[in-house]
Every structure is written in structure tokens, then in C-alpha cells.
Amino acid sequence: MARPQRSLLRRLLIRVPIPVLALLFGLLAGGAAWYAIDRIQTRALAEIFDQELESQLLQQARVGLIRFDQYRDTYAAVIRLLANHRHLSDYLAPVIWAADDEVQLVSYRTGPPPWLPDTDLWRGGIRPSHILLVDTAGRIREAYHLSDEPIPRDLLGDAHPLTLGGERTAFMTRLDGRPYLIASDLAEDPGHHILGSLVLLVPIDSAFLAASQHAVGSDAAVVAILDSDARHVLASSDEINVRPGDNVDRLSAGYVVTAQSFFDYEGSDLNMLFATLVPRAGVEATGARVLDLERRQRLIGAGVLILVFVALFIVVSGRINRLLQRMSKFSRRALDMEQPAIERGNQLLILEEWIHDFAALVMHAREETRARHEEEMRESEALTAALMETSLDSIITVDEHGRIIEFNPTAAQTFGYDRDAMLGRQFDRILLARQSRSAFLQRFDDCSALGPAEVDPRRFELRAKNREGQEFPVELAIKPTPLHDRLLFTVYVHDISERKRQEAEIKSLAAIPSESPIPVLRVNRPGVVIYANGPSEPLLRHWGCHRLQTLPVYWKQQVQSVLDDGRTRELEVHTDHGIYSLLFAPIGELDYVNIYARDITKVREAEEEARRRQNELVHVARLSTMGEMATGIAHELNQPLSAIVNFANGSARRLELRVGSSEDLLHALAQITLQARRAGEIIKRLRGMVSRQQPVRRLVDLNALARETCAMVAHETRKLEVTLELALAREELLIRADPVQIEQVLLNLIRNALDALAEMPVPDRRLALSSGSLEGERVYLSVEDHGKGIRPDVMEHLFEPFFTTKSAGMGMGLAITQTIVNDHHGKIRADSWPGRGSVFTLELPAAAAMIKSAAS
Ligand code: ADP
């Protein structure tokens, strides 16, 4: 599914993990908020600070004024002390100042006046510039100078403020433009007559102001006396920075000025103000420090807030990540859908996209499922229809009353009814045999009463009835199917007539082994007889075992070997009861062997009899041949006998005539012996041929037998003037055979050849014998004549008994020849070229090869 293209911003944002984004947003938002708050906060703080400062300064100023006032009171107290001192009254008692006197000011500069007691007061911070003794009219009569300053001129005229003498007071005033504190007290005699007054003249200068504050408070704060009208400084505690005469407004640029009126001093010059000046730089620095501190705290708070914010987002994004993983895993498992890949980066955006993708996938999957469902429904319907059409079972749908509402083609075919004719008919009445109806109705009622899941799903057997009224066995299953608000029933009817027939057949087939007159056994691989029928008893007895027991080792091995080979094998067993041929048939898939035994005692006896008869026949044939050869043999025998007679007669004559030497006699006797031996050989050979003897197997040389045979027919060969060509193998061709029978074979072949040659002109009468070995395995001997050959029609029947083309022939020669050759496991082949002659080739196993094969 294609995802819509992301915008550049989204592509950028999605790569940034939430904590980083949170940090960035936090910094940005925090910075903006901080900037806005800072402006408001700074202003608010400045206002608060200003208010606070103002109140602080006011407080400080008040304190300053109070100190100033207290300091002033110190002077008042001092003057009171001095004025009431005995020295002064003692001094003034005798002095009389006339009111209109010319005032002669007495000044004391070097030492204290006599009216002043000795005191340490001046060292205690009290710094009057002058102490004046004033008469009752207010005129200065005597003056004690404690500084170098002159007495202010304003005090020297008549109309001056000291006229208030007589009053106890301390006030400030301006004298010669400078502020002064004037403290005075009345000097009285013991009778309370006023003698004058004592006045302390104290210039209010920086030293005074500094002393008034006892150096308490900020070093930077300055106290000053202002002229409220002229708005300039009259005196200050720090004349370097705040000089007398400085304009207050100008000073306001550098100082925060707090001015206040003095407490009501009697007679004081009231246009003076007490001012406290605090350097603005210090105040502002403090303000800035406070603001800085507040900002720093705010910054730390904001930082902590951002960190908490970021940490929160790390936790949230972690949880979102885990949630994503879990959702992804869940949906993969639950919905079996391919999941959108989860990228790294902004988990919220990824989650949003994931949810979007996931929702799209779910929608898509739902669409697919719906389509598949519809398709399945269609297929299912088609399938149901096809099933109904093609089912090998009869499928009949009935309603809750057992009335047929659907009837498939198989049902129509099985029961022989038309579908339409069956609709609405009662199932049990029309399609079941009478005896089966109650069983069906019973089951049908069960199905109606029970839920579809509880119905017994097994088929049950009933007898059905077709249109012709023929009953047949069926298997029937009822399946209830709820459809809307109805309960329908599908009845599956399976015709089991054929199965029943097959079952009966199988049952009868299974009975075959037990009914079999021949022994049938079944043996498993370990050699255990798992089945044996009745006729197997003699075999089991022979093996000495019963059913479910193990066969003797040899037979057990045979069973296993047959199972391994997978091929049937025939073995023979000689029991006391008879000879059995056992056919071992392996049943590979079940891993056992069926043994079918055949009693072949009679067969073997018949074979023995046949063999005996065959020997008889061979012998008879030989006798017959010998009979035919009797003349020749007689002639053959005649020769040595005649020779013996001749030599004997000759010797007798010589003895009678007494002629000849003894050597001649000896030679004659030797010849007689030789000829007698020759005759003996012929007789021996003849006896061998005619005697009845059991067949034997001996090691004999085929070439020697060929030569012997040639000797036997020598007379006939000579008579027919046949040229005999012997091309025999140089080496011995040893065979294991019955020599008499092989000679009989050769005799038959040579005599047939001679018969064929007899019809040819004498010069053409050639007979050739050749022999040899065939790769050491077999040996051969061929008898070739140059007669007229054998016609194809004769060739076909050549080896059949009693087949002959000769008037006096018996037709048994070649038949017996083949029997003998077969007995010797050999072959005989005839080749002929009509008009040119024939070759008969005899092939026999070489003795060496026989020994070899026997050994292996
Ligand atoms: P018989 O010699 O008594 O006829 P055989 O069984 O020996 O019986 O021969 C059967 C027939 O085969 C002969 O009658 C003859 O026709 C034919 N036959 C056998 N050998 C030869 C041969 N070498 N040449 C021609 N025909 C032959």
C-alpha cells in the first residue's frame, strides 16, 4: 500500500526523537515565556523594589533625623549642665551688665573662661565652635572660642535671634548663610534670678552631621541640610560628594534624596530640611543584584522545568516505543498482516503514521476478508451445488416434518425417482423399507430434540426401497442444519449393496486358506508362525513347532532372506510324510511371508519313474544301435580273431615242420596277445554298450570318447569309403559325464552322417569331426558331413521322437541324443545347408567350470 508523500517539515520532524524535539520546543517556549515574563517581572520587581526602597529610605531618613535630633538633644543637655553649674552662677553673681552698656566682648581663645567648669565634654564629640555668655538682653558679653572660626556676624548686631535668651532652647538657624545649632540655657542665681544665658554655638557642618549619625548606616549614605526654598545643600556629612550649595535637583541624578522637615524646634529656621541621600548607583546595583538573583532563580526553575519536561517525554516516548512494538507484534500475530516498518525518530509522528498505516492495512484486510468471504460464499454455494450434483451418496434434505425439500441426482438414480416428483413427499414412507422406518423416525426425533453439536454423527444401517420396490442395504446419516428460524435435516444415504457383497466375498476369500487342502502358512520376520491351516500339520510336525512358535533356524533365515530379496523362492522339504515344495511369497509391506506348500511326493516318484524309463529307453536304443551295428562289430571282432587264428596256425605249422626260429614264434605269440587284447577291447566296449547300468558321472576326455566312437564305426566307414577327417583339440577336453551315454550320442550323430553320406558319390563322402573349448567354460564337438543336407520342413521335427525320413529308421536317435545332452546340462544344435551338408554341434559344460560353479 502506498503511503502519501511526507512533507519536507514532516520528513525532518519524523527523524528527530521526541526527547530532542521536546528539548528544542522546551527551550524555545521557555525562552519566549522567559523573555515575556522577564519584562513584566522586571517592571513589577522594579516597582516593588522602588516602593520598598522608598520606604526603606524613608525609614532610614527618619532614623537619621531621629539620630540628628538626639544629637541635638545632647547639646541641649550639655548647655543645661553648663548653665546650671556653680562656676557660672558664681561668676555671674558679681557681674552686672547694664542694659545700655557698650558691649565689650570678652573673648577667651587660649584657655577656657572662668565660668566654665573643667570638663572633658569637648573631647566626647561635642564640637561647638563657640560658647557664649549672653546677657539678659541677648547681647553677647563673653565668648569662648573653641575653633578658629569667628563669631557669625549675624550674632553681633542688636537684632539677632539670641534675644530669646532667658529661654531654655536648642534650635537651628542660619548665621552668615550657614546652618548653626544654637543651644542655650538660662544662668540663674540660687534665688532664681536670671543672670544671663549660656549659649552653645555649633556649626552644622559635615563633622556635625557625621557625628549626629554616629557613623551608623551605610557608608555611602549622606545626610544633609537643605535649604527648602533655594533647593540647595547647606551642609552635608560628605562634603566631597555633596558640597554645600549643590542643587538638589542636580544631586537627584546621582542620589536618591529623601528630605523631611525637622521636628518642631522652637525658634528654628523652618525653611531647612533634613535630607538623606543614598547613591543611586548603589541602589540600582542592589536592584540589579536582586533582579539578577531573581532571574537566576527563574532560570534555574525554567531549566529544571525543561529537564522534567524532557524526562517526561523520554519516558512517554519510551512507552510509546514499547506500545508501538507491542501493537505491531500483536497485530502481526492477531491479524496475520504484514506490518508497517517502525522507524527510529519521533515516536509520536511514527505512531501517528503507524496508526494511519495500520488503519489502512486493517481496512484493506477487512476489504480483502470481505471479498474473500464473499468469494468463499460463492464458492461454497457452487461447491455445495457441485457436491450435491456429484456426490456419490444420495443427499436428501428434509424439513422438520420429514418431508423432502431437496433430492440430488445420485438419490434420483439410486431410488429411481424424479427430483420434482419427490419434493414434499414423506422421506421414510417413500424411501425406506417398512422394517426400517421406526429406527429412522427414532433417530430423526433424536436429531430434532438435540442440538446439532450433540447429534450422533455415526452412520447407521437401514434398508431402503427403490421405485421398483427392491430393498437394499444403506448407510444413513442425519445432519441437522439450522437455517434462519427453521431446522432442516440433510440425510446422507449411501448404498452399501456393493460393499456388503464385497464383504461377503472377502469373507469367503478369507476362508480360502483355511479351506485349502494344501498347507498354507504365514510367518513373520522373526520366524514366528502366525497362521497355519489344517493341512500344514505334517510340516509343523517336521519342523517341531506349533502355531505362534518360531521355525528352525534354517527356515527362519530363509524367511528373512526372502523378505530382504522381495522375490518368491521355491524350496523343497523331505518329511516323513512326504516331499513338499514350499513357495515362499514375501508380503513386503506387512513384513511377513506366506508359505504355500505342495505335496510333490508323487511328482518326484513319477519323475524317478520317468528317469528310469528314460534310461531303459536309452539302453534299448543303444541295444538297437548295437544290433544295427552287429555285422560291423562282428566283422571288427573277426579281424583280430582271424589274425590270432592265422598266427596260431602259422606257429603250429612251424613247430610241426620244425622251421623258424624261436624269435619268429615269440613274434607270433606277441601278435596273438595283441590281437586277443584288441578283440577283448572290442568285446569290452560292446559289453559296455549293451550292459544295463545306472547312469554315472565320471571325468572323461571328450576327444578320447570321439576316437573310441570312430573306432566302433570303423567298419562302416571303411565299407562306405568315407574319408574321416579328425580335427580334435590337442588338449584333453575334460567333462563330467556318463561315457557310455556320450558315446551313444556321438554314435547317433556319426551314423546319421554316414547315412547321409551313403547317398552321395564316393569321392564326396567326407566326414569331419572337430572339437575345442569355448573360453574354458564349455567344450564342443561337431560332426560335419557333406551329404545332401536337411530340408527346413525336416529340420522343424528333427529332435521329435519317432520322426524319421528313413525307410528303416526308428526316429529315436536324435530324440534320445537330446535327452542325454539335457541330462548333462548341455546343448545340441543342428545347422544344415541343403545340398551341401549338415553340422551337428554338441556343447557340454567343461569339468573345470562345473567344479568352479559347484564351489561358488
Ligand atoms: P533315424 O536315424 O532313425 O531316422 P534320427 O532321429 O536319428 O532317426 O534321425 C531323424 C531324421 O533326421 C532322419 O530320418 C533324417 O531325415 C534326419 N537326419 C539326421 N541326421 C542327418 C544328417 N546328418 N543329414 C541329413 N539328415 C539327417
Side-chain angles (χ1 to χ4, degrees):
M1 198 183 331
R3 177 190 283 172
Q5 190 71 30
R6 289 173 181 154
S7 70
L8 182 66
L9 180 65
R10 199 177 178 86
R11 277 210 300 278
L12 280 175
L13 281 178
I14 207 160
R15 288 211 190 121
V16 187
I18 288 186
V20 176
L21 214 58
L23 183 69
L24 287 174
F25 277 127
L27 284 173
L28 268 173
W34 192 83
Y35 176 74
I37 290 168
D38 186 57
R39 287 180 71 89
I40 298 164
Q41 192 85 344
T42 307
R43 203 176 305 141
L45 264 175
E47 275 171 21
I48 292 166
F49 182 76
D50 284 351
Q51 279 172 10
E52 185 62 23
L53 184 71
E54 200 173 311
S55 103
Q56 285 288 326
L57 288 178
L58 199 61
Q59 187 68 24
Q60 194 179 340
R62 281 214 179 102
V63 170
L65 183 58
I66 288 165
R67 284 205 197 101
F68 182 86
D69 204 38
Q70 284 170 349
Y71 192 58
R72 179 193 63 93
D73 284 349
T74 315
Y75 282 92
V78 166
I79 199 66
R80 197 168 302 126
L81 192 74
L82 293 176
N84 291 310
H85 201 275
R86 188 174 47 83
H87 274 243
L88 184 61
S89 56
D90 287 352
Y91 178 73
L92 286 180
V95 178
I96 298 161
W97 288 308
D100 51 353
D101 277 356
E102 184 74 16
V103 175
Q104 285 294 312
L105 183 61
V106 180
S107 293
Y108 304 91
R109 288 184 188 274
T110 51
W115 35 266
L116 208 59
D118 264 346
T119 177
D120 291 336
L121 279 173
W122 319 126
R123 284 196 288 274
I126 302 296
R127 290 267 185 274
S129 56
H130 300 88
I131 304 173
L132 306 174
L133 194 57
V134 181
D135 61 20
T136 49
R139 287 172 297 188
I140 300 167
R141 294 292 181 165
E142 290 183 20
Y144 175 35
H145 294 262
L146 281 102
S147 70
D148 296 336
E149 286 180 39
I151 296 169
R153 276 192 306 277
D154 288 345
L155 288 180
L156 297 177
D158 286 336
H160 86 82
L162 294 182
T163 46
L164 45 90
E167 300 247 349
R168 290 187 182 96
T169 185
F171 64 96
M172 287 183 301
T173 188
R174 260 185 293 181
L175 301 172
D176 296 352
R178 287 180 64 192
Y180 277 90
L181 172 70
I182 294 173
S184 67
D185 203 352
L186 296 174
E188 291 170 323
D189 61 9
H192 295 291
H193 294 107
I194 295 167
L195 302 173
S197 21
L198 195 66
V199 175
L200 283 183
L201 190 61
V202 190
I204 299 175
D205 54 10
S206 62
F208 182 91
L209 286 172
S212 76
Q213 297 302 311
H214 312 295
V216 176
S218 155
D219 290 344
V222 179
V223 289
I225 305 294
L226 305 180
D227 180 334
S228 66
D229 298 330
R231 296 191 61 75
H232 64 248
V233 176
L234 292 172
S236 87
S237 58
D238 174 9
E239 290 190 345
I240 297 165
N241 294 310
V242 182
R243 287 185 298 275
D246 280 351
N247 186 278
V248 175
D249 295 329
R250 193 186 56 79
L251 282 172
S252 298
Y255 293 90
V256 180
V257 182
T258 312
Q260 55 193 321
S261 307
F262 287 104
F263 301 118
D264 187 21
Y265 294 117
E266 209 178 324
S268 289
D269 192 347
L270 292 178
N271 63 351
M272 283 195 298
L273 293 173
F274 181 80
T276 310
L277 291 94
V278 179
R280 213 170 263 281
V283 171
E284 277 170 5
T286 306
R289 252 198 325 278
V290 169
L291 212 58
D292 265 3
L293 188 68
E294 192 275 332
R295 267 186 187 148
R296 215 173 302 141
Q297 282 170 352
R298 205 175 334 131
L299 206 59
I300 290 167
V304 169
L305 209 66
I306 288 170
L307 281 180
V308 169
F309 187 62
V310 170
L312 195 73
F313 270 89
I314 288 173
V315 172
V316 167
S317 72
R319 289 200 69 90
I320 291 173
N321 248 344
R322 276 204 294 283
L323 180 74
L324 262 174
Q325 305 277 2
R326 217 173 298 154
M327 279 170 75
S328 174
K329 219 182 275 176
F330 159 77
S331 51
R332 196 177 305 135
R333 271 208 309 268
L335 303 177
D336 190 24
M337 292 187 324
E338 185 60 29
Q339 291 306 299
I342 296 177
E343 306 162 31
R344 294 180 71 77
N346 189 323
Q347 288 82 357
L348 264 180
L349 289 181
I350 290 170
L351 179 65
E352 188 194 340
E353 285 196 354
W354 187 89
I355 288 171
H356 179 267
D357 289 354
F358 182 70
L361 270 177
V362 170
M363 291 298 290
H364 183 67
R366 207 178 65 181
E367 274 306 304
E368 268 187 359
T369 309
R370 198 176 55 75
R372 202 163 52 228
H373 184 66
E374 281 175 3
E375 182 64 22
E376 277 172 7
M377 286 286 286
R378 273 199 297 277
E379 278 176 9
S380 165
E381 276 168 20
L383 197 67
T384 309
L387 271 177
M388 290 284 280
E389 287 286 323
T390 58
S391 168
L392 295 177
D393 280 355
S394 300
I395 302 175
I396 301 151
T397 310
V398 299
D399 65 10
E400 58 272 48
H401 307 294
R403 283 191 299 255
I404 296 169
I405 55 172
E406 192 51 80
F407 200 71
N408 80 336
T410 307
Q413 201 182 344
T414 306
F415 290 95
Y417 290 108
D418 223 31
R419 173 187 174 272
D420 296 339
M422 293 306 286
L423 302 184
R425 305 287 294 271
Q426 202 66 29
F427 174 86
D428 58 313
R429 267 184 234 152
I430 188 109
L431 298 177
L432 294 181
R434 187 179 293 277
Q435 70 268 28
S436 292
R437 284 178 199 160
S438 62
F440 170 79
L441 290 173
Q442 176 69 44
R443 183 67 78 103
F444 189 72
D445 289 346
D446 286 352
C447 287
S448 310
L450 299 167
E454 296 159 328
V455 169
D456 185 354
R458 280 175 299 173
R459 290 175 171 236
F460 58 109
E461 275 188 39
L462 290 179
R463 290 195 69 77
K465 186 182 73 180
N466 66 13
R467 190 174 190 174
E468 276 78 45
Q470 287 169 341
E471 292 185 5
F472 55 96
V474 291
E475 257 185 0
L476 197 138
I478 307 173
K479 178 120 183 64
T481 317
L483 192 73
H484 306 303
D485 51 349
R486 293 181 72 188
L487 188 62
L488 300 181
F489 299 87
T490 308
V491 185
Y492 298 89
V493 184
H494 182 55
D495 182 354
I496 55 169
S497 322
E498 181 59 17
R499 201 181 81 196
K500 286 275 175 199
R501 195 188 60 70
Q502 283 174 358
E503 277 174 9
E505 203 164 294
I506 287 167
K507 220 180 270 176
S508 79
L509 277 174
I512 287 178
S514 61
E515 290 166 359
S516 165
I518 66 157
V520 178
L521 300 98
R522 176 168 290 179
V523 182
N524 64 10
R525 187 179 277 274
V528 176
V529 180
I530 52 177
Y531 174 80
N533 66 355
S536 309
E537 272 310 316
L539 274 173
L540 292 176
R541 248 197 326 274
H542 173 72
W543 285 326
C545 68
H546 297 285
R547 290 176 183 84
L548 301 178
Q549 287 185 341
T550 311
L551 291 179
V553 174
Y554 171 77
W555 295 102
K556 198 165 89 178
Q557 285 169 351
Q558 291 302 320
V559 167
Q560 285 162 359
S561 147
V562 164
L563 277 173
D564 292 342
D565 275 5
R567 280 205 302 267
T568 56
R569 186 178 299 176
E570 210 161 349
L571 296 161
E572 221 172 273
V573 56
H574 293 251
T575 70
D576 297 339
H577 198 260
I579 304 167
Y580 288 92
S581 164
L582 306 180
L583 182 79
F584 282 58
I587 312 294
E589 60 272 26
L590 300 174
D591 212 27
Y592 59 67
V593 170
N594 282 348
I595 303 173
Y596 304 99
R598 207 156 34 96
D599 186 348
I600 54 165
T601 316
K602 293 238 160 29
V603 176
R604 286 288 175 264
E605 282 170 4
E607 279 172 2
E608 191 52 37
E609 180 61 18
R611 204 172 297 119
R612 205 178 50 74
R613 283 179 198 281
Q614 186 182 303
N615 277 340
E616 201 70 28
L617 186 64
V618 169
H619 181 240
V620 169
R622 212 156 55 225
L623 280 182
S624 147
T625 308
M626 285 301 114
E628 284 168 19
M629 289 171 68
T631 325
I633 292 163
H635 185 75
E636 204 59 16
L637 196 58
N638 213 25
Q639 277 185 344
L641 290 177
S642 303
I644 289 167
V645 170
N646 288 341
F647 278 116
N649 286 341
S651 300
R653 264 199 312 279
R654 285 184 187 190
L655 281 172
E656 281 169 8
L657 296 172
R658 297 185 187 277
V659 293
S661 61
S662 57
E663 279 86 18
D664 289 339
L665 279 174
L666 279 174
H667 171 71
L669 284 172
Q671 278 300 321
I672 288 166
T673 312
L674 183 72
Q675 292 303 328
R677 278 212 185 106
R678 197 175 146 205
E681 281 291 315
I682 291 168
I683 290 163
K684 192 178 152 199
R685 205 182 301 144
L686 193 62
R687 216 174 49 207
M689 291 298 268
V690 297
S691 69
R692 183 199 299 272
Q693 50 185 327
Q694 282 304 308
V696 292
R697 289 292 179 271
R698 276 202 280 127
L699 210 56
V700 285
D701 176 17
L702 186 58
N703 288 338
L705 295 179
R707 282 193 202 97
E708 290 274 332
T709 315
C710 286
M712 270 195 263
V713 292
H715 174 72
E716 284 170 86
T717 338
R718 262 199 309 276
K719 205 171 88 186
L720 286 171
E721 295 176 64
V722 170
T723 312
L724 183 62
E725 295 166 6
L726 281 183
L728 300 177
R730 281 168 189 275
E731 74 279 7
E732 284 187 331
L733 298 178
L734 289 177
I735 53 170
R736 183 165 286 280
D738 184 326
V740 174
Q741 286 189 354
I742 298 297
E743 275 179 0
Q744 187 178 353
V745 166
L746 297 179
L747 209 54
N748 284 341
L749 297 179
I750 292 170
R751 293 192 72 241
N752 275 346
L754 291 177
D755 285 346
L757 289 173
E759 295 175 20
M760 305 302 287
V762 172
D764 294 342
R765 293 178 184 170
R766 283 202 320 276
L767 175 66
L769 260 71
S770 53
S771 72
S773 164
L774 296 168
E775 295 170 354
E777 294 287 314
R778 299 175 77 82
V779 294
Y780 74 90
L781 189 138
S782 27
V783 178
E784 183 177 4
D785 66 67
H786 294 278
K788 60 180 176 162
I790 306 166
R791 293 196 314 271
D793 58 319
V794 174
M795 196 66 129
E796 278 176 35
H797 308 287
L798 218 52
F799 294 97
E800 288 174 8
F802 307 111
F803 176 78
T804 180
T805 56
K806 298 169 193 168
S807 54
M810 244 173 58
M812 286 302 290
L814 286 178
I816 286 175
T817 293
Q818 188 152 53
T819 306
I820 295 172
V821 171
N822 285 349
D823 270 1
H824 283 79
H825 307 292
K827 283 194 297 202
I828 181 143
R829 204 179 75 225
D831 296 297
S832 180
W833 300 270
R836 281 172 38 203
S838 319
V839 186
F840 282 80
T841 307
L842 166 70
E843 241 182 70
L844 290 167
M850 282 183 88
I851 293 164
K852 222 191 293 168
S853 77
S856 67

